[in-house]
Structures are given as structure tokens and as C-alpha cells.
């Protein structure tokens, strides 16, 4: 599965589920509780409590209906957002900038949740009062199975901060299919947490919600930093955490040894790719990244970059060179040749996957 | 009808806004509540003959918020 889809799923499973619960949970539980109440007792007066004292097995069906409805709605939304992104035909650099903006939004949201400063409250979008009122009114009419389905769809109007970030990511994917898959994976990931917390919601009060808020904030910081880092990779920024991590892990390797500039990194010459000759540079594209991490090419002449794949199914197949605006979708198995125009000696050309997760560089000498 | 603004200092997300506004359906005599997360306040339009400011504050405290 594409790495970015996994990231979306894990984001949903951790930060997404908790964050969505914080925003939509109260509304949903009160509406579901209302439905249960209608089933087990005569409708009560306007001023009476709608929340039963113990969670009931009868919650399961409406919650599942709600979650399925939400999953369908958000997948469709992702599809639409991806379509919008494809129409806009975003370049790798624009995608990188968008991703950095998403990262800043996530980090701002984390600081908002931690109540660091009132200014961070502006990182939260509230639906207008009229829409809030409409959702509330709809949630009270719990007479049949269509109500939880309707509620699932209505959550589109009150997306949490993490969901909003994911929506922006769906746009930046520039593909209807990827956008739909991203939102599907994210919403699916958020569902188990949402289910459990909704089910237990009658026992979870505001206090618990506040406790989860901190958990969400921590998760947001982690995912925000990852998004920021991948965004920097996408715009071709040389100093990123992922590049540094590759160095520390010893994954970084160099083909066609050079003196001085590369230092000890030249010790690990891989056997994965054919040896570079003349104007040809070979890069082995794998599920976990690009090998070698660093390649040496001749300056002042056109270079043929051979991208070799062999059963690759991760996002490393979506290859981009931000500074040259080159973007290629590689076949799972095969070889694609990318022609790189002459570069001056000393130029460092950074490339990455389209999500900025995997990266590499070519040095011209 | 009277319109009064209350400070609710511990709203921590937009969900709190909806929770506070839901009191509009719970409290007799309250015509409209508009809460604002960014400003940490809620504007309440209510009939003084049916409900007092104190009763509104009690209701807000009861659902877990600090009101001034």
C-alpha cells in the first residue's frame, strides 16, 4: 500500500479519532442517546436529560451506521478534493508549500489544544451559528435508522482540525483516486477510536475529553513535524530530519566516489544499482526509498537519470525533482529515463517522492 | 427579553460551543444562546420573568464549565 495512505490511516487511528471525537463526539452521543431513549421509553419532555446512565448494546447499530455514513461521505469528499487538486495541476514545489502550510496548521492546532496562547484559537474553524443550530435540531430527531446516517453526513460540516489537515492533503495529492483513498484511510483509521469512545461516552465526561485533548495535541505535534519535514523535502530543501536520519542510519550511500566533498559517506557503495558510467546515473527505486541516496554526475552536460523499479508499490514510484519541476509516475517494474539538463559544477539536485517521504540527491562535479 | 454576555473561560474546542448552545433547548425562558470559542464568551437572550442569570450560570456550571 502507498506509504501516504498508511500515514493517513495511522493519523486517523491516533490523532484523528481523538480529535474528531472531541469535536463531533458530544453531538453524536447525545443524538444516539436520544435514539436509544426513544426505543426504551416514552419520549420525555424537552427539559429532561437525554443521556442514559449505562452504555447499552443498542448503541452499536446506530454508531456503526453513523460511522459507515461518515466513511462514505468523507471518501467522496476526498475524491472531490483530489479532483480539484488535479485540475489545479499542482507542481511539486506548490505541493510542498501546501504541505508546509498543513504542518503549520497542525502545529498551531496542537498549541491551541494545549492552550499556550489565545492567538492559537484562530487555528480552529467553527461552522456558522446557523449551521450549528441546524445540526443540533437534526440530531434531536432520532426516529429511525436514517438519523445516524444523516448525522454521519452532517459531520462534513464540523470537521476537526486533523480532518481539515487531511482534506488539504487530499487536495495536494492532485489525484481524485489518491484523495479519496487518503480520506477513506483516515476516516477508517479514526473509526475504531470513535466507536469505542462514543460507546463509552455516557461514562466519559468533560474531564476525560480534556485528558484526550492533550493526547491529541501530542499526536498533532508529531504528525505536524512529519508533514513539515516532508514538505521541506518536496520543495527541495537540503536540511531535513529525514535526510539527517538517513545519514545516521547509514542508509546514505554514494555511487561514483568523489574526493573530499563526500568524506566517509563514500564507504558504503551499494551493489543495488548498476555502476554509473558517462552521462548515465542509475537509481534503484525501492519501497523504502532511493538507492544510492547520493549520486555523482558530470557537470555541464546532459545527464540521463535511470530510475529502476522492480516490484515497487510505495509512493517512491511518484518521483519528483522540485527545482526542475520534473514529475514522473514510474511503473511498478521497469526503467524510466529522465533527462536532466546540464548543471554547473557543485550543483546539488534534490529529489523525493511526491509525498516528500523518501529523498535523495545528485551532486554535479 | 434581556441579552447578557457571560464569560466562559474554559471552552477548549468548538464542540464546547455546541454543548453550551444546546442549553438553549434545555432551559425554559432562554430564547437564544450564541457561544464564541475565540472570545470565550456566550451571549444569551432570555426572558427574565422565566429564568434568572444565576440559573443560567448554574446550568453552565452543571455541564462542566466555569462561568463569570
Amino acid at each position: 500500500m502507498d506509504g501516504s495512505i498508511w500515514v493517513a490511516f495511522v493519523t486517523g487511528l491516533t490523532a484523528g479519532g481523538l480529535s474528531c471525537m472531541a469535536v463531533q463526539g458530544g453531538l453524536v452521543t447525545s443524538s444516539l442517546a436520544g435514539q436509544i431513549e426513544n426505543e426504551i421509553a416514552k419520549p420525555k419532555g424537552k427539559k429532561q436529560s437525554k443521556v442514559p446512565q449505562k452504555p447499552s448494546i443498542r448503541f452499536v447499530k446506530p454508531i456503526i451506521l453513523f460511522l459507515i455514513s461518515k466513511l462514505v461521505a468523507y471518501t467522496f469528499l476526498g475524491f472531490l478534493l483530489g479532483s480539484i487538486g488535479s485540475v489545479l495541476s499542482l507542481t511539486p514545489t506548490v505541493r510542498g508549500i501546501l504541505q508546509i502550510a498543513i504542518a503549520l496548521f497542525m502545529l498551531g492546532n496542537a498549541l491551541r489544544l494545549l492552550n499556550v496562547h489565545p492567538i492559537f484559537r484562530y487555528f480552529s474553524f467553527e461552522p456558522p451559528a446557523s449551521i450549528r443550530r441546524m445540526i443540533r435540531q437534526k440530531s434531536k430527531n432520532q426516529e429511525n435508522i436514517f438519523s445516524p446516517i444523516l448525522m454521519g453526513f452532517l459531520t462534513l460540516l464540523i470537521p476537526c482540525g486533523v480532518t481539515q489537515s487531511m482534506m488539504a492533503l487530499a487536495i495536494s495529492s492532485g489525484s481524485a483516486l489518491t484523495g479519496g483513498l487518503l480520506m477513506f484511510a483516515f476516516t477508517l483509521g479514526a473509526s475504531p477510536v470513535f466507536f469505542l469512545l462514543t460507546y463509552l461516552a455516557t461514562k466519559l465526561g468533560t474531564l476525560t475529553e480534556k485528558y484526550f485533548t492533550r493526547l491529541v495535541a501530542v499526536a498533532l505535534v508529531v504528525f505536524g513535524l512529519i508533514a513539515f519535514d516532508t514538505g521541506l523535502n518536496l520543495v527541495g530543501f537540503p536540511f531535513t530530519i529525514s535526510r539527517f536520519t538517513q545519514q545516521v542510519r547509514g542508509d546514505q550511500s554514494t555511487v561514483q566516489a568523489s574526493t573530499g566533498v563526500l568524506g566517509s559517506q563514500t564507504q558504503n557503495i551499494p551493489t543495488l544499482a548498476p555502476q554509473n558510467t558517462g552521462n548515465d546515473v542509475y537509481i534503484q527505486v525501492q519501497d523504502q526509498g532511493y538507492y544510492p541516496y547520493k549520486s555523482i554526475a558530470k557537470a555541464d552536460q546532459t545527464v540521463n537519470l535511470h530510475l529502476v523499479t522492480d516490484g515497487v508499490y510505495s509512493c517512491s514510484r511518484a518521483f519528483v525533482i522540485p527545482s526542475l519541476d520534473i514529475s514522473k509516475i514510474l511503473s511498478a517494474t521497469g526503467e524510466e529515463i529522465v533527462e536532466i539538463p546540464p548543471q554547473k559544477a557543485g550543483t546539488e539536485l534534490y529529489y523525493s517522492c511526491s509525498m516528500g517521504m523518501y529523498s535523495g540527491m545528485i551532486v554535479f562535479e | 427579553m434581556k441579552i447578557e454576555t457571560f464569560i466562559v473561560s474554559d471552552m477548549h474546542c468548538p464542540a464546547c460551543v455546541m454543548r453550551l448552545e444546546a442549553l438553549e433547548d434545555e432551559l425554559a425562558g432562554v430564547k437564544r444562546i450564541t457561544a464564541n470559542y475565540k472570545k470565550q464568551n456566550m451571549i444569551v437572550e432570555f426572558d427574565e420573568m422565566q429564568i434568572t442569570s444565576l440559573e443560567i450560570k448554574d446550568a453552565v456550571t452543571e455541564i462542566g464549565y466555569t462561568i463569570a
Side-chain angles (χ1 to χ4, degrees), chain A residues 22-23 26-27 46-48 50 112 121-122 124 126 132-133 135-137 140 158 206 209-210 213, chain B residues 10 12-15 17-19 21-22 24-28 32-35 37-38 40 63-65:
Chain A
V23 174
L27 177 78
K46 179 184 172 185
K47 308 301 172 190
Q48 294 203 13
K50 292 184 179 65
R112 174 183 71 82
R121 288 183 197 138
Y122 287 90
S124 158
E126 287 172 48
R132 294 201 299 267
R133 190 161 284 111
I135 292 173
R136 203 174 67 241
Q137 296 304 324
K140 285 196 300 185
I158 46 169
T206 310
E209 201 172 281
K210 283 176 182 169
T213 299
Chain B
D10 46 7
H12 58 278
C13 67
V17 169
M18 297 184 76
R19 186 171 295 146
E21 288 179 346
E24 182 182 300
D25 306 323
E26 308 286 324
L27 303 173
R32 177 151 296 196
I33 298 177
T34 307
Y37 166 63
K38 292 180 180 73
Q40 298 276 291
I63 60 169
Y65 295 93

Side-chain angles (χ1 to χ4, degrees), chain A residues 253-288:
Chain A
S253 48
T254 308
V255 160
Q256 196 168 321
S258 167
T259 54
V261 179
L262 303 174
S264 61
Q265 291 159 10
T266 56
Q267 290 169 5
N268 303 320
I269 297 176
T271 54
L272 294 163
Q275 200 69 315
N276 296 341
T277 53
N279 297 347
D280 295 294
V281 170
Y282 288 86
I283 293 173
Q284 191 78 32
V285 180
Q286 299 189 347
D287 282 335
Q288 296 81 24

Side-chain angles (χ1 to χ4, degrees), chain A residues 71-221:
Chain A
L71 187 64
V72 170
Y74 275 95
T75 303
F76 186 66
L77 178 69
F79 185 83
L80 281 181
L81 293 173
S83 305
I84 292 169
S86 66
V87 172
L88 295 175
S89 65
L90 305 171
T91 64
T93 307
V94 172
R95 278 210 298 268
I97 292 169
L98 196 55
Q99 194 141 328
I100 289 169
I102 294 166
L104 293 176
F105 180 73
M106 289 173 96
L107 293 171
N109 248 306
L111 295 173
R112 174 183 71 82
L113 290 170
L114 293 171
N115 213 9
V116 171
H117 190 277
I119 193 91
F120 291 110
R121 288 183 197 138
Y122 287 90
F123 280 88
S124 158
F125 296 119
E126 287 172 48
S130 55
I131 290 180
R132 294 201 299 267
R133 190 161 284 111
M134 186 267 283
I135 292 173
R136 203 174 67 241
Q137 296 304 324
K138 294 279 183 195
S139 73
K140 285 196 300 185
N141 302 323
Q142 298 293 324
E143 291 164 1
N144 52 49
I145 61 161
F146 294 108
S147 296
I149 293 174
L150 178 66
M151 285 305 302
F153 266 87
L154 286 180
T155 55
L156 286 173
L157 300 174
I158 46 169
C160 68
V162 185
T163 308
Q164 287 165 13
S165 307
M166 210 47 66
M167 285 159 63
L169 204 61
I171 295 176
S172 74
S173 74
S175 150
L177 182 65
T178 310
L181 278 173
L182 276 170
M183 290 309 294
F184 175 83
F186 171 75
T187 314
L188 187 70
S191 295
V193 180
F194 206 101
F195 178 86
L196 280 174
L197 294 184
T198 308
Y199 186 76
L200 298 172
T202 50
K203 293 202 170 184
L204 303 177
T206 310
L207 265 177
T208 323
E209 201 172 281
K210 283 176 182 169
Y211 169 75
F212 279 120
T213 299
R214 292 179 183 218
L215 220 59
V216 173
V218 171
L220 270 179
V221 168

Side-chain angles (χ1 to χ4, degrees), chain A residues 292-332:
Chain A
Y293 172 81
K294 183 184 279 184
S295 303
I296 309 296
K298 288 184 178 172
D300 302 320
Q301 51 185 275
T302 302
V303 170
N304 291 319
L305 186 62
H306 297 255
L307 301 165
V308 184
T309 49
D310 184 11
V312 179
Y313 295 98
S314 81
C315 65
S316 60
R317 277 172 57 197
F319 180 86
V320 297
I321 305 178
S323 60
L324 300 179
D325 252 359
I326 290 174
S327 186
K328 293 273 179 193
I329 301 293
L330 311 173
S331 55

